[in-house]
């Protein structure tokens, strides 16, 4: 068989670059799911002392579909969720079709298996509303899966609203980076059992996930490097220790988990060479040193933050004695 080589053509396609950051989640500052209803709906004998039947449709159909003794309360609670969708902070971005879908989703949550409370199901719709719709389909994650993941987290005795709301953002990052996510919930809630805050648990997992991506890209060589930084965060970042930014283990230093700067190093070869990666955010450098040059203090981080002006952040890769900068 003859082999024909076409000049100027290549059969090897360059794989698409895997993004280092997920889309930004929206902020919803309403104190609870009934806050909007109390502002919009007339007073009445429904849940929360309001009656929203005059503001949004769906009550009569709901009662017909759920002919139980508690259907009136259930359907009025569903109307509160629909009002939140239509008139809440994200209301300007939701049309009637989207809010009808949220209404139906809430009812499915309340009447399905396992049985879930009004608080959990309404919070699931809140999480869906703040989820960015621009996830890359190649990552296998979207807002429906985010809502399902929130419910899975709440079904666990260790998962409260604050932990689970943060968890689905970390899960979104995991899928964006395209690393293994099957054990993420157990790791995250196991961290909760160690009495760390949701912020520190999310930060420790973010370091591990980015490390696994760097491992897959060939920067690091040992999975133990990624597991070590995760174990260190659980050991060293509880309580007031989380405010420490210049100790042996990176902690948030009181900053948000997804904007706290940090670095991870690994020693390779004989003689040992230090390879490192740093994730630097211009708003959160402080006194954070890089692990491959601790004697320089925060200077490398500060210089990197200056390079990141106008960008979300900058990623440093230190190999063979040289440091490369790239935007995140």
């Amino acid at each position: 068989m003859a082999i024909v080589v076409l000049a100027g053509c290549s059969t090897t396609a360059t794989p698409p670059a895997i993004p280092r950051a997920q889309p930004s989640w929206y902020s919803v500052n309403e104190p609870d799911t009934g806050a909007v209803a109390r502002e919009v709906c007339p007073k009445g004998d429904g849940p929360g002392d309001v009656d929203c039947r005059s503001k949004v449709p769906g009550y009569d159909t709901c009662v017909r579909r759920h002919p139980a003794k508690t259907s009136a309360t259930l359907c009025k609670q569903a109307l509160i969720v629909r009002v939140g969708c239509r008139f809440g902070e994200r209301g300007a971005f939701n049309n009637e079709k989207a809010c009808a879908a949220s209404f139906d989703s809430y009812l499915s949550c309340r009447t399905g298996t396992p049985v879930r409370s009004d608080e959990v199901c309404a919070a699931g719709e809140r999480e869906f509303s703040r989820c960015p719709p621009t996830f890359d389909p190649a990552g296998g994650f979207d807002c429906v899966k985010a809502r399902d993941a929130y419910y899975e987290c709440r079904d666990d005795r260790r998962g409260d609203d604050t932990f689970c709301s943060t968890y689905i953002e970390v899960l979104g990052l995991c899928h964006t980076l395209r690393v293994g996510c099957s054990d993420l919930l157990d790791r995250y809630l196991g961290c909760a059992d160690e009495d760390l805050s949701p912020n520190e648990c999310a930060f420790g997992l973010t370091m591990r996930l980015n490390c696994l991506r760097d491992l897959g890209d060939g920067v690091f060589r040992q999975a133990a490097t990624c597991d070590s930084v995760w174990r260190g965060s659980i050991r060293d970042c509880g309580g007031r220790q989380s405010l420490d930014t210049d100790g042996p283990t990176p902690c948030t230093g009181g900053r948000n988990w997804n904007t706290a700067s940090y670095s991870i190093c690994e020693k390779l070869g004989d003689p040992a060479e230090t390879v490192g990666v740093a994730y630097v955010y211009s708003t959160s450098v402080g006194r954070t040193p890089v692990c491959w040059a601790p004697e320089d203090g925060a200077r490398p981080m500060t210089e990197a933050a200056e390079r990141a002006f106008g960008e979300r952040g900058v990623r440093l890769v230190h190999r063979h004695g040289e440091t490369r900068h790239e935007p995140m």
Side-chain angles (χ1 to χ4, degrees), residues 6-269:
L6 300 178
C9 297
S10 172
T11 58
T12 304
T14 302
I18 295 174
R20 290 282 174 175
Q22 65 175 323
S24 296
W25 289 66
Y26 302 112
S27 175
V28 177
N29 298 313
E30 288 150 1
D32 62 72
T33 55
V36 176
R38 289 192 292 272
E39 292 182 3
V40 171
C41 300
K43 291 187 179 298
D45 59 357
D49 297 324
V50 295
D51 187 342
C52 297
R53 287 178 291 179
S54 63
K55 293 296 180 180
V56 289
Y59 177 80
D60 292 339
T61 301
C62 175
V63 171
R64 286 195 299 270
R65 289 180 178 174
H66 304 281
K69 290 182 178 179
T70 58
S71 63
T73 298
L74 170 68
C75 295
K76 287 179 180 179
Q77 288 170 326
L79 289 184
I80 289 174
V81 170
R82 191 163 183 163
V83 164
C85 174
R86 190 69 185 85
F87 300 101
E89 285 185 54
R90 302 289 304 158
F93 304 95
N94 297 328
N95 57 29
E96 186 54 45
K97 182 178 178 180
C99 293
S102 178
F103 179 81
D104 290 339
S105 174
Y106 168 87
L107 289 170
S108 295
C109 174
R110 289 295 309 279
T111 59
T113 303
V115 176
R116 297 187 177 104
S117 69
D118 165 61
E119 184 269 325
V120 169
C121 296
E125 294 308 308
R126 179 203 64 212
E127 294 304 307
F128 183 83
S129 74
R130 71 181 194 88
C131 174
T134 52
F135 281 101
D136 185 348
F141 190 73
D142 57 27
C143 294
V144 172
K145 291 180 179 178
R147 180 173 55 200
D148 291 344
Y150 176 84
Y151 291 144
E152 182 185 12
C153 179
R154 291 299 302 268
D155 289 343
D156 191 294
R157 62 164 183 82
R158 300 169 292 179
D160 64 16
D161 180 53
T162 303
F163 267 96
C164 296
S165 179
T166 306
Y167 163 68
I168 61 173
E169 291 193 38
V170 181
L171 183 62
L173 175 64
C174 184
H175 282 280
T176 297
L177 295 173
R178 299 180 205 173
V179 295
C181 306
S182 60
D183 63 346
L184 191 70
L185 180 59
D186 191 57
R187 285 182 182 275
Y188 182 73
L189 293 180
C191 176
D193 275 345
E194 297 293 332
D195 292 330
L196 270 72
S197 70
N199 196 51
E200 291 301 329
C201 292
F203 179 64
L205 278 176
T206 296
M207 289 193 292
R208 181 176 183 272
L209 295 175
N210 276 314
C211 180
L212 289 174
R213 181 68 265 153
D214 291 325
L215 179 72
D217 290 345
V219 178
F220 296 132
R221 301 290 179 84
Q222 305 169 52
T225 299
C226 307
D227 291 332
S228 176
V229 72
W230 167 236
R231 289 194 302 270
S233 67
I234 293 177
R235 182 188 64 237
D236 298 333
C237 295
R240 295 185 62 84
Q241 288 178 290
S242 67
L243 300 177
D244 186 8
T245 59
D246 55 3
T249 300
C251 303
T252 64
R255 297 180 173 91
N256 200 47
W257 64 271
N258 55 6
T259 57
S261 300
Y262 65 92
S263 60
I264 301 172
C265 282
E266 178 181 275
K267 291 191 179 296
L268 299 174

